[in-house]
Amino acid sequence: MQAGLLTWDRVGELGDLLNGKFLGRSGAAQITLFKNNAAQGVADVAIASKVYSLARANGIGIEFQFRPCLS
């Protein structure tokens, strides 16, 4: 298999990733992509809040200042 080639055996559900049933990244250079086709903004915010809380509690991730462009 080519490096970087995405196959279905490397695709998992977000809930399984959060519950440890599916292994995510094995290194900081890898990317985790979450795609939601449900178009439910409330669910997205709830999930983002949980992920943020878990990252803060575990001391992982990068925090940055976000300044929206209001032009």
Side-chain angles (χ1 to χ4, degrees):
M1 174 169 51
Q2 288 179 319
L5 181 64
L6 183 61
T7 57
W8 283 110
D9 63 317
R10 295 173 59 192
V11 175
E13 297 290 329
L14 180 61
D16 290 339
L17 178 67
L18 295 175
N19 290 318
K21 294 178 183 177
F22 183 81
L23 296 177
R25 304 178 331 154
S26 61
Q30 294 178 335
I31 297 171
T32 298
L33 170 69
F34 172 65
K35 176 140 176 50
N36 179 2
N37 291 331
Q40 297 176 346
V42 172
D44 293 342
V45 171
I47 291 169
S49 175
K50 182 65 175 178
V51 170
Y52 177 75
S53 295
L54 287 170
R56 294 277 315 231
N58 289 289
I60 57 176
I62 300 169
E63 193 164 329
F64 61 94
Q65 288 277 328
F66 176 74
R67 288 184 235 141
C69 179
L70 302 175
S71 54

